[in-house]
PDB file of all heavy atoms in Angstrom:
ATOM      1  N   TRP S 134      26.413  13.083  38.438  1.00  0.00           N
ATOM      2  CA  TRP S 134      25.322  12.488  37.642  1.00  0.00           C
ATOM      3  C   TRP S 134      24.401  11.786  38.602  1.00  0.00           C
ATOM      4  O   TRP S 134      24.747  10.850  39.267  1.00  0.00           O
ATOM      5  CB  TRP S 134      25.916  11.483  36.634  1.00  0.00           C
ATOM      6  CG  TRP S 134      26.626  12.171  35.598  1.00  0.00           C
ATOM      7  CD1 TRP S 134      26.157  12.700  34.463  1.00  0.00           C
ATOM      8  CD2 TRP S 134      28.072  12.460  35.561  1.00  0.00           C
ATOM      9  NE1 TRP S 134      27.155  13.306  33.728  1.00  0.00           N
ATOM     10  CE2 TRP S 134      28.309  13.161  34.328  1.00  0.00           C
ATOM     11  CE3 TRP S 134      29.106  12.220  36.474  1.00  0.00           C
ATOM     12  CZ2 TRP S 134      29.604  13.618  34.016  1.00  0.00           C
ATOM     13  CZ3 TRP S 134      30.386  12.666  36.061  1.00  0.00           C
ATOM     14  CH2 TRP S 134      30.590  13.358  34.904  1.00  0.00           C
ATOM     15  N   HIS S 148      24.317   9.896  30.641  1.00  0.00           N
ATOM     16  CA  HIS S 148      24.761  10.703  29.485  1.00  0.00           C
ATOM     17  C   HIS S 148      25.076   9.775  28.348  1.00  0.00           C
ATOM     18  O   HIS S 148      25.000   8.541  28.495  1.00  0.00           O
ATOM     19  CB  HIS S 148      26.012  11.537  29.908  1.00  0.00           C
ATOM     20  CG  HIS S 148      27.086  10.799  30.594  1.00  0.00           C
ATOM     21  ND1 HIS S 148      28.232  11.363  31.108  1.00  0.00           N
ATOM     22  CD2 HIS S 148      27.224   9.463  30.896  1.00  0.00           C
ATOM     23  CE1 HIS S 148      28.982  10.463  31.659  1.00  0.00           C
ATOM     24  NE2 HIS S 148      28.470   9.328  31.565  1.00  0.00           N
ATOM     25  N   SER S 150      27.954   9.635  26.958  1.00  0.00           N
ATOM     26  CA  SER S 150      29.454   9.421  26.959  1.00  0.00           C
ATOM     27  C   SER S 150      29.824   7.929  26.999  1.00  0.00           C
ATOM     28  O   SER S 150      30.927   7.614  26.561  1.00  0.00           O
ATOM     29  CB  SER S 150      30.068  10.178  28.115  1.00  0.00           C
ATOM     30  OG  SER S 150      29.834  11.555  27.952  1.00  0.00           O
ATOM     31  N   GLN S 153      31.543   6.523  24.089  1.00  0.00           N
ATOM     32  CA  GLN S 153      32.905   6.789  23.703  1.00  0.00           C
ATOM     33  C   GLN S 153      33.693   5.512  23.737  1.00  0.00           C
ATOM     34  O   GLN S 153      34.372   5.107  22.780  1.00  0.00           O
ATOM     35  CB  GLN S 153      33.541   7.791  24.664  1.00  0.00           C
ATOM     36  CG  GLN S 153      32.954   9.246  24.539  1.00  0.00           C
ATOM     37  CD  GLN S 153      33.737  10.199  25.438  1.00  0.00           C
ATOM     38  OE1 GLN S 153      34.852   9.968  25.844  1.00  0.00           O
ATOM     39  NE2 GLN S 153      33.093  11.346  25.751  1.00  0.00           N
ATOM     40  N   ARG S 174      18.189  11.026  34.422  1.00  0.00           N
ATOM     41  CA  ARG S 174      18.777  11.392  35.729  1.00  0.00           C
ATOM     42  C   ARG S 174      17.752  11.498  36.763  1.00  0.00           C
ATOM     43  O   ARG S 174      16.655  11.923  36.539  1.00  0.00           O
ATOM     44  CB  ARG S 174      19.581  12.675  35.620  1.00  0.00           C
ATOM     45  CG  ARG S 174      20.845  12.486  34.791  1.00  0.00           C
ATOM     46  CD  ARG S 174      21.759  13.643  34.833  1.00  0.00           C
ATOM     47  NE  ARG S 174      22.650  13.559  33.669  1.00  0.00           N
ATOM     48  CZ  ARG S 174      23.503  14.520  33.320  1.00  0.00           C
ATOM     49  NH1 ARG S 174      23.580  15.642  34.023  1.00  0.00           N
ATOM     50  NH2 ARG S 174      24.315  14.362  32.246  1.00  0.00           N
ATOM     51  N   GLN S 188      20.796  13.803  24.499  1.00  0.00           N
ATOM     52  CA  GLN S 188      22.138  14.355  24.344  1.00  0.00           C
ATOM     53  C   GLN S 188      22.641  13.973  22.968  1.00  0.00           C
ATOM     54  O   GLN S 188      22.133  13.012  22.376  1.00  0.00           O
ATOM     55  CB  GLN S 188      23.101  13.778  25.391  1.00  0.00           C
ATOM     56  CG  GLN S 188      23.010  14.515  26.745  1.00  0.00           C
ATOM     57  CD  GLN S 188      24.198  14.158  27.644  1.00  0.00           C
ATOM     58  OE1 GLN S 188      24.955  13.228  27.406  1.00  0.00           O
ATOM     59  NE2 GLN S 188      24.352  14.907  28.710  1.00  0.00           N
ATOM     60  N   GLU S 190      26.347  13.068  21.790  1.00  0.00           N
ATOM     61  CA  GLU S 190      27.747  12.981  22.113  1.00  0.00           C
ATOM     62  C   GLU S 190      28.583  13.116  20.838  1.00  0.00           C
ATOM     63  O   GLU S 190      28.061  12.755  19.738  1.00  0.00           O
ATOM     64  CB  GLU S 190      28.002  11.527  22.646  1.00  0.00           C
ATOM     65  CG  GLU S 190      29.330  11.320  23.327  1.00  0.00           C
ATOM     66  CD  GLU S 190      29.386  11.885  24.695  1.00  0.00           C
ATOM     67  OE1 GLU S 190      28.312  12.322  25.226  1.00  0.00           O
ATOM     68  OE2 GLU S 190      30.479  11.991  25.272  1.00  0.00           O
ATOM     69  N   PHE S 228      35.240  17.636  33.792  1.00  0.00           N
ATOM     70  CA  PHE S 228      34.657  16.317  33.648  1.00  0.00           C
ATOM     71  C   PHE S 228      35.828  15.342  33.663  1.00  0.00           C
ATOM     72  O   PHE S 228      36.859  15.548  33.103  1.00  0.00           O
ATOM     73  CB  PHE S 228      34.023  16.225  32.228  1.00  0.00           C
ATOM     74  CG  PHE S 228      32.926  17.214  31.946  1.00  0.00           C
ATOM     75  CD1 PHE S 228      33.207  18.446  31.247  1.00  0.00           C
ATOM     76  CD2 PHE S 228      31.609  16.988  32.433  1.00  0.00           C
ATOM     77  CE1 PHE S 228      32.258  19.348  31.056  1.00  0.00           C
ATOM     78  CE2 PHE S 228      30.630  17.959  32.150  1.00  0.00           C
ATOM     79  CZ  PHE S 228      30.928  19.086  31.484  1.00  0.00           C
ATOM     80  N   PHE S 230      36.601  12.661  32.371  1.00  0.00           N
ATOM     81  CA  PHE S 230      37.024  11.963  31.175  1.00  0.00           C
ATOM     82  C   PHE S 230      37.639  12.865  30.144  1.00  0.00           C
ATOM     83  O   PHE S 230      37.976  12.426  28.990  1.00  0.00           O
ATOM     84  CB  PHE S 230      35.896  11.124  30.586  1.00  0.00           C
ATOM     85  CG  PHE S 230      34.548  11.795  30.704  1.00  0.00           C
ATOM     86  CD1 PHE S 230      34.065  12.569  29.676  1.00  0.00           C
ATOM     87  CD2 PHE S 230      33.765  11.638  31.795  1.00  0.00           C
ATOM     88  CE1 PHE S 230      32.836  13.192  29.715  1.00  0.00           C
ATOM     89  CE2 PHE S 230      32.515  12.242  31.929  1.00  0.00           C
ATOM     90  CZ  PHE S 230      32.061  13.004  30.901  1.00  0.00           C
ATOM     91  N   VAL S 231      37.811  14.153  30.462  1.00  0.00           N
ATOM     92  CA  VAL S 231      38.494  15.035  29.531  1.00  0.00           C
ATOM     93  C   VAL S 231      39.479  15.858  30.321  1.00  0.00           C
ATOM     94  O   VAL S 231      39.392  16.081  31.522  1.00  0.00           O
ATOM     95  CB  VAL S 231      37.495  16.034  28.789  1.00  0.00           C
ATOM     96  CG1 VAL S 231      36.650  15.270  27.772  1.00  0.00           C
ATOM     97  CG2 VAL S 231      36.671  16.722  29.787  1.00  0.00           C
ATOM     98  N   GLY S 251      29.050  20.313  27.223  1.00  0.00           N
ATOM     99  CA  GLY S 251      30.343  20.117  27.846  1.00  0.00           C
ATOM    100  C   GLY S 251      31.290  19.524  26.855  1.00  0.00           C
ATOM    101  O   GLY S 251      30.849  18.828  25.899  1.00  0.00           O
ATOM    102  N   ALA S 252      32.591  19.765  26.969  1.00  0.00           N
ATOM    103  CA  ALA S 252      33.507  19.246  25.924  1.00  0.00           C
ATOM    104  C   ALA S 252      34.912  19.199  26.561  1.00  0.00           C
ATOM    105  O   ALA S 252      35.106  19.636  27.692  1.00  0.00           O
ATOM    106  CB  ALA S 252      33.481  20.141  24.704  1.00  0.00           C
ATOM    107  N   ALA S 274      36.117  15.390  22.763  1.00  0.00           N
ATOM    108  CA  ALA S 274      34.736  14.862  22.902  1.00  0.00           C
ATOM    109  C   ALA S 274      33.861  16.007  23.359  1.00  0.00           C
ATOM    110  O   ALA S 274      34.336  16.948  23.960  1.00  0.00           O
ATOM    111  CB  ALA S 274      34.728  13.751  23.959  1.00  0.00           C
ATOM    112  N   PHE S 275      32.547  15.837  23.079  1.00  0.00           N
ATOM    113  CA  PHE S 275      31.612  16.856  23.559  1.00  0.00           C
ATOM    114  C   PHE S 275      30.303  16.155  23.774  1.00  0.00           C
ATOM    115  O   PHE S 275      30.040  15.099  23.191  1.00  0.00           O
ATOM    116  CB  PHE S 275      31.458  18.028  22.559  1.00  0.00           C
ATOM    117  CG  PHE S 275      31.156  17.579  21.167  1.00  0.00           C
ATOM    118  CD1 PHE S 275      29.855  17.444  20.736  1.00  0.00           C
ATOM    119  CD2 PHE S 275      32.167  17.374  20.267  1.00  0.00           C
ATOM    120  CE1 PHE S 275      29.520  17.048  19.476  1.00  0.00           C
ATOM    121  CE2 PHE S 275      31.902  16.985  18.926  1.00  0.00           C
ATOM    122  CZ  PHE S 275      30.538  16.856  18.522  1.00  0.00           C
ATOM    123  N   GLY S 276      29.486  16.781  24.590  1.00  0.00           N
ATOM    124  CA  GLY S 276      28.120  16.283  24.784  1.00  0.00           C
ATOM    125  C   GLY S 276      27.218  17.439  24.884  1.00  0.00           C
ATOM    126  O   GLY S 276      27.390  18.356  25.726  1.00  0.00           O
TER     127      GLY S 276
HETATM  128  N1  LIG U   1      28.711  13.676  29.420  1.00  0.00           N
HETATM  129  C1  LIG U   1      28.843  14.995  29.942  1.00  0.00           C
HETATM  130  C2  LIG U   1      27.537  15.364  30.677  1.00  0.00           C
HETATM  131  O1  LIG U   1      26.614  14.709  30.616  1.00  0.00           O
HETATM  132  C3  LIG U   1      29.080  16.014  28.875  1.00  0.00           C
HETATM  133  C4  LIG U   1      30.434  15.865  28.178  1.00  0.00           C
HETATM  134  C5  LIG U   1      30.605  15.020  27.153  1.00  0.00           C
HETATM  135  C6  LIG U   1      31.540  16.549  28.684  1.00  0.00           C
HETATM  136  C7  LIG U   1      31.863  14.849  26.571  1.00  0.00           C
HETATM  137  C8  LIG U   1      32.767  16.445  28.075  1.00  0.00           C
HETATM  138  C9  LIG U   1      32.891  15.547  27.035  1.00  0.00           C
HETATM  139  O2  LIG U   1      27.463  16.266  31.443  1.00  0.00           O
END
Side-chain angles (χ1 to χ4, degrees):
W134 291 274
H148 48 184
S150 301
Q153 290 186 22
R174 289 188 199 172
Q188 277 194 345
E190 192 79 9
F228 301 96
F230 36 94
V231 289
F275 54 88

